[in-house]
Amino acid sequence: MLSNSPYALGIVFVTLALMWVLQMSLAKKQATGFLNAVNSIKGPGLQVAIGVNQPKWGRKKIYLAISADVNSNIVNGLTLEGVTTFAKSKKVSLFNGKTLNEIANSDNKEPIWEAAKMAADTLIKKLQSKADSLSLIHISEPTRQEARSYAVFC
């Protein structure tokens, strides 16, 4: 009945276009929700990075966000797991208290660990570049009776 109609092909294309728009709006909503959740694990003195595993056929993709302090200790984490745009972020404490180097050098091949390794590598590079960007300024006050020196990191 519909296949005999001259508008059948147009209806199919319009339906596909509407489904695509729905998919994109749901994906945007999911991404916004995850980024808001990632912002919730940020804090003073914390660095945050997101890692993702490289799934093989039949395994799900996992996004993992971890936050670490200046001592490279993981403080918080959350995941986004699932195969649809309805996947939600969840807090994960599996890595809390571990160091970034422990995660980066782990031999664990589980998908969540693969995502954690990527995030840990990113954070190690971030923290290293921050440490490399500090410069030492030496200030002396030789005009006083007691010579005083100060070291300032900027």
Side-chain angles (χ1 to χ4, degrees):
M1 177 169 137
L2 189 59
S3 62
N4 294 335
S5 168
Y7 300 106
L9 192 57
I11 291 171
V12 169
F13 282 122
V14 168
T15 302
L16 289 174
L18 289 173
M19 290 171 59
W20 181 79
V21 168
L22 177 64
Q23 168 72 20
M24 290 298 106
S25 66
L26 290 174
K28 181 181 185 292
K29 182 178 178 186
Q30 179 189 43
T32 302
F34 184 62
L35 290 177
N36 287 339
V38 168
N39 285 332
S40 75
I41 66 171
K42 287 182 179 178
L46 298 177
Q47 293 288 325
V48 177
I50 299 172
V52 63
N53 69 320
Q54 300 301 318
K56 295 176 177 52
W57 181 253
R59 297 177 94 178
K60 61 185 173 183
K61 187 175 270 195
I62 298 174
Y63 293 88
L64 174 73
I66 55 175
S67 60
D69 62 17
V70 292
N71 298 319
S72 298
N73 295 314
I74 297 174
V75 177
N76 219 332
L78 62 97
T79 62
L80 179 68
E81 301 179 42
V83 292
T84 70
T85 56
F86 299 110
K88 301 258 187 230
S89 59
K90 293 182 276 187
K91 292 265 185 180
V92 62
S93 59
L94 175 65
F95 304 105
N96 291 2
K98 294 188 180 347
T99 66
L100 294 173
N101 285 325
E102 284 179 73
I103 303 299
N105 298 324
S106 170
D107 293 331
N108 197 321
K109 300 289 184 205
E110 292 179 44
I112 194 164
W113 279 83
E114 289 177 8
K117 287 176 193 175
M118 180 185 277
D121 286 339
T122 302
L123 283 174
I124 289 169
K125 289 174 188 168
K126 266 187 184 180
L127 292 172
Q128 184 61 45
S129 70
K130 240 184 184 183
D132 291 345
S133 67
L134 291 177
S135 59
L136 176 65
I137 299 173
H138 182 254
I139 302 170
S140 294
E141 295 184 51
T143 56
R144 292 190 178 193
Q145 206 169 19
E146 299 173 5
R148 295 182 187 202
S149 283
Y150 304 95
V152 180
F153 287 98
C154 303

